[in-house]
Each structure stands twice: as structure tokens, then as C-alpha cells.
């Protein structure tokens, strides 16, 4: 956890800094906005900015956005300075910490940002075999390709490999290749020199240099532009990078981990991914099975999320009832662990009894999971129940077909894309995976809709910070 404190270190802010260090955070200090930007451009990086409300937070947020630097901001100030707290949140700060600092509040903020809750929870043999292989190769310097459906926990496993490696005390830097536009991704990875392009107002170190000595995670690498793949291949082979607009190569010492929810061999056959790059990345392949193929993990994960979100919402943790467990295990979970996490967050909030019952286990649109899944396999149906189910399904299918008549393919496609995106809570990567299209195609469609004045759901989850 890398913490950058912006502002004077006198008094209470110095105490907050010491509390953060006591909890394992690496703390750097900048006396103002300009020095903070200089530190961030230099490659030291930060996972969190803790900023004195006396600093121009709105200006800092504007400058970070202009230079495409994505890092959350927490404002700090005296507990009686309510006006400053409101202004800081409006300016773009994620949270406000009153001073003098409370140790538990500091710990909670650091934990939320560091996402220490992303521990590996493994009960199923299918997942245990993957973790054992990960542990076996973690100490090596081999590049690793982690594959699996969206939401299975590929980044969690990548962080686990980093923690088990000899680079554990060095940076772990993650880049979502699907969430950053192609024209910005090169600068994000390799950095740029001042004046290299419009808006490059100063030299900025990229993620390769920021991860020097540690691990660089290239998340959803299948979405990377083909031209940029050539530059990435050279960086992996030669262990040197060229900043955009630079005149000399810069050596780097990193370990590469890449993830993909697509089969890269198929992408090679399509001509969208370089075969030589695949060989460089796929020294070891860790294939994570979907959640539906690791049923023993479902309840363990559900219990973990139930406790996590009970605490996050100031509620007493509740056990998961027998009927609720049955519904959880029999669900297909197309969104995998990410979908299960969202489901349990809802369940914690909806549970009205002393336990989380089946009534609280619902889909995003409010339907009970049991109703969404249909009758449990092997349970006797009511007389005529099967015939009624078939008849209702046929009537529904006929009604849907009639509703499509007279509409253009483009209109139907638009509604399908927007409905899927809404179902995925705005997560572009998840929606593209369900729709069976690339994230680039999805982005182009959404831009087209937005240009036509059609409301498009904003990015959801981790994508929000980089959209």
C-alpha cells in the first residue's frame, strides 16, 4: 500500500501518517500539488492520496484528470471544518477523514483502498489444483497467463502469485487493457516525454517503470491493439522500453502476468493477437474454472461476502439459511465470483429475519433466485405443472417474436446491448463477454448511441476510475 500525503505534516496529519506506516503503508510526503504531481509522474506512484483540505483539491483533481493519472483522493481536516469537508467531496475526494485521526478509521480506509479483503478462498478441488500450480511457479521469473471467464478472480490469483514471489516487497501494478482507449494505452504503459503529443505537459513515467523490480499485471490483454502488441513483445524480450517521444531505451526489471477471458489461440487464428507474443506470455497457463464448476467454493465465498458487507454496512453478520444455500449452489453464476459478491451484498441488505433466507437471495432486477432458476432438478412438479410451464414459455416466446416484428435489426441490437449493460451494472468488460463481442466493438456502439442522444449507463465497478 503506497500512500502519498499532500500538505503540511505538522500536528494531526503527521499522526495520521504514522498510523498508516504502523499498518504497513509506504508513506511519501509532498508539500503541495506541484510536488505531488512530480512524484506521481516520476514512477514512484501511489495507491492513495491523503490531502489536507487546505490544499486546492479541485485543482489537483483537474490536473490528475488532464494527465490521465488515476488515483483515489481522501481529504483530511479538523472535525469542526464541515464546510471544507463538503467542498472536498464535491471537488472529487472519495472520503473525508476528520482530524485528530481515529486509528480504526485510518485502518478501514487503507484496507478499502488496498483491497486486502481479496484473499483467496478455496474449498473446491478444481480451484485448489490451480492454486497449487500457482504456488509452484510463483517463485520463478516465468511469465504467467491467467485465463478464465469474466469475474472468476483472475486478478486475485495474480496478486496471490506476486505475494508468493521473491518480488513480494516490490510494486504490484495492474493495467486494465480493456478499460483504457488504444490511443492512451501506449503512454500509460511506456510513459512519455514532455511535448510528445498534445497534452504531454511534462515527462511521465509509465507502468513498466513504475513496476520496476516488481510485477506488472496486463489485465484483459486480448483487447490490446495489434500495433501496440509489437512494442510490448520487444519490452518483454529485451527488458527495455521506449517512452513515447523518447530517444533512448529505458531498462526495466519486471515480471509479467497477463489475463484474458478469451482463448488467445483463437485470437491468433483470427489475426487479432500476435502468435509470438502469446508464446512469450504463456510460459505457464493458470486456467481458473468458472464458479459453477467449483460448487464447494460457492458457500465459502458467500459466507465471506455476507460477513464482509454486514460489517461494511454496520450490521450484525447473519448466517445463511439452508434454503438460501440450496439456491446459491444450484445457480449458474454467469458472472462468477463478481456476480455472487453483488448478490450477497444485496442479500445482507434485504434479509429481514435472523438469517439470510432464500427470499433475500435475488437477481439485480429483484427476482428471487429460486424463481429465476426454475424448479429444482429432481423435485416433483405439481399436477400439470410441467405442461403449464411449457405453455407459458411458448406463449412468452411468441409474444417476444411478435414484439420484434416491424423493428430494424439495429434497434433490436441497441436494446439488447443496453439491457445487457444495465444488467451488468455498467461493467463494459462483463457485458461484452456476455454479448460475445470485443470491448472495442462495444465501446464503438455505445459512443454511437451517445452521439445519437441515447442515455448510456455509466461505467461500473473498477472501470469507473479509468473510463
Amino acid at each position: 500500500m503506497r500512500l502519498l500525503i499532500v500538505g503540511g505534516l505538522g500536528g494531526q496529519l503527521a499522526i495520521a501518517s504514522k498510523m498508516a506506516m504502523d499498518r504497513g503503508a509506504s508513506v511519501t510526503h509532498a508539500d503541495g500539488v506541484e510536488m505531488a504531481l512530480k512524484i506521481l509522474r516520476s514512477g514512484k506512484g501511489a495507491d492513495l492520496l491523503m490531502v489536507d483540505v487546505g490544499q486546492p483539491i479541485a485543482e489537483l483533481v483537474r490536473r490528475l484528470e488532464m494527465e490521465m493519472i488515476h488515483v483515489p483522493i481522501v481529504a483530511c481536516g479538523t472535525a469542526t471544518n464541515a464546510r471544507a469537508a463538503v467542498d472536498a467531496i464535491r471537488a472529487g475526494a472519495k472520503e473525508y477523514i476528520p482530524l485528530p485521526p481515529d486509528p480504526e478509521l485510518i485502518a478501514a480506509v487503507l484496507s478499502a483502498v488496498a483491497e486486502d479483503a481479496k484473499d483467496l478462498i478455496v474449498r473446491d478441488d478444481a480451484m485448489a489444483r490451480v492454486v497449487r500450480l500457482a504456488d509452484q511457479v510463483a517463485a520463478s521469473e516465468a511469465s504467467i497467463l491467467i485465463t478464465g471467464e469474466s469475474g472468476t478472480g483472475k486478478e486475485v490469483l495474480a496478486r496471490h502469485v506476486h505475494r508468493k514471489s521473491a518480488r513480494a516487497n516490490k510494486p504490484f501494478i495492474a493495467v486494465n487493457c480493456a478499460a483504457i482507449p488504444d490511443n492512451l494505452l501506449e503512454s500509460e504503459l511506456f510513459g512519455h516525454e514532455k511535448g510528445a503529443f498534445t497534452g504531454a505537459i511534462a515527462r511521465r513515467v509509465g507502468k513498466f517503470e513504475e513496476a520496476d523490480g516488481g510485477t506488472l499485471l496486463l489485465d484483459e490483454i486480448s483487447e490490446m491493439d495489434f500495433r501496440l502488441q509489437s512494442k510490448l513483445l520487444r519490452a518483454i524480450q529485451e527488458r527495455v522500453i521506449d517512452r513515447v517521444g523518447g530517444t533512448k531505451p529505458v531498462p526495466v526489471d519486471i515480471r509479467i502476468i497477463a489475463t484474458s477471458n478469451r482463448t488467445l489461440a483463437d485470437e491468433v487464428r483470427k489475426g487479432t493477437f500476435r502468435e509470438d507474443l502469446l508464446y512469450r506470455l504463456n510460459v505457464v497457463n493458470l486456467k481458473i474454472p468458472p464458479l459453477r464448476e467449483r460448487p464447494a467454493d460457492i458457500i465459502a465465498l458467500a459466507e465471506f461476502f455476507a460477513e464482509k458487507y454486514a460489517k461494511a454496512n454496520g450490521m450484525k453478520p447473519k448466517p445463511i439459511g439452508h434454503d438460501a444455500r440450496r439456491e446459491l449452489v444450484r445457480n449458474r453464476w454467469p458472472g462468477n465470483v463478481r456476480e455472487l459478491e453483488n448478490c450477497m451484498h444485496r442479500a445482507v441488505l434485504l434479509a429481514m429475519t435472523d438469517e439470510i433466507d432464500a427470499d433475500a437471495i435475488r437477481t439485480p432486477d429483484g427476482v428471487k433466485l429460486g424463481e429465476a432458476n426454475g424448479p429444482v432438478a429432481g423435485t416433483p412438479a405439481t399436477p400439470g405443472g410441467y405442461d403449464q410451464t411449457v405453455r407459458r414459455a411458448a406463449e412468452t416466446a411468441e409474444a417476444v417474436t411478435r414484439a420484434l416484428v416491424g423493428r430494424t435489426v439495429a434497434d433490436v441490437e441497441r436494446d439488447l446491448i443496453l439491457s445487457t449493460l444495465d444488467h451488468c451494472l455498467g461493467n463494459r468488460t462483463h457485458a461484452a463477454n456476455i454479448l460475445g463481442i470485443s470491448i472495442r466493438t462495444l465501446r464503438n456502439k455505445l459512443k454511437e448511441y451517445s452521439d445519437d442522444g441515447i442515455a448510456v449507463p455509466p461505467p461500473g465497478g473498477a472501470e469507473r476510475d479509468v473510463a
Side-chain angles (χ1 to χ4, degrees), residues 395-426:
E395 291 171 353
T396 300
E398 184 179 355
V400 169
T401 302
R402 284 198 303 268
L404 295 177
V405 175
R407 303 187 63 198
T408 66
V409 172
D411 284 345
V412 175
E413 179 188 61
R414 181 193 63 220
D415 289 352
L416 175 61
I417 288 175
L418 293 178
S419 296
T420 303
L421 191 61
D422 184 64
H423 170 76
C424 297
L425 305 179

Side-chain angles (χ1 to χ4, degrees), residues 171-188:
F172 177 93
I173 305 297
V175 181
N176 189 333
C177 300
I180 302 175
D182 294 336
N183 60 329
L184 298 178
L185 184 56
E186 182 176 6
S187 173
E188 187 77 10

